[in-house]
Amino acid sequence: MTDNARARKLADRIQVVVAETLDRRIKDPRLGFVTITDARVTGDLREATVFYTVYGDDEERAASAAALESAKGVLRSEVGRQTGVRFTPTLAFVPDALPDNARTIEDLLDKARTRDAEVREVSTGATYAGEADPYRKPEDEDDEADTPGSTDKNEGPASA
């Protein structure tokens, strides 16, 4: 069992090694514009998940995924050579969903902005349904003493 700090350091190193190896050594024409976004290693340091994004359409993403799968052996041997760990972790490549999630959030924010603009247009020139100041204000002490049925604050209830 290992600590999380060591697993995180190894994951960071794997991310750098895989990105550099893809840039310098892998010459697969199917490999498009791939960006390695993150890497995670299990607690026992046996398996590494490498997250990536591909710039392009679905066809280019599928071709890049196939290229990464075919280059997995070369990448794993390079990771083992450069990290120097006893057991080189197996690599699994997973497309990163972060850009899709960011795009969805941006679309939702755009919808919210348009709805806010519509509400702003409708409310322009509108007035309040009630008074301008809907909160009750305490009356002056002189007014309280003049009103019938009021009791002084210092007096208790009348006893019979």
Side-chain angles (χ1 to χ4, degrees), residues 56-97:
D57 58 357
D58 291 336
E59 184 179 313
E60 291 174 348
R61 289 184 190 127
S64 294
L68 287 172
E69 285 299 317
S70 68
K72 192 183 284 190
V74 173
L75 293 171
R76 184 174 180 219
S77 63
E78 190 66 26
V79 165
R81 189 177 69 75
Q82 289 192 23
T83 57
V85 292
R86 181 180 298 173
F87 180 81
T88 303
T90 59
L91 300 177
F93 292 97
V94 177
D96 198 354

Side-chain angles (χ1 to χ4, degrees), residues 89-110:
T90 59
L91 300 177
F93 292 97
V94 177
D96 198 354
L98 187 65
D100 296 332
N101 292 343
R103 191 173 309 112
T104 302
I105 290 172
E106 285 297 324
D107 291 342
L108 291 173
L109 287 173
D110 287 339

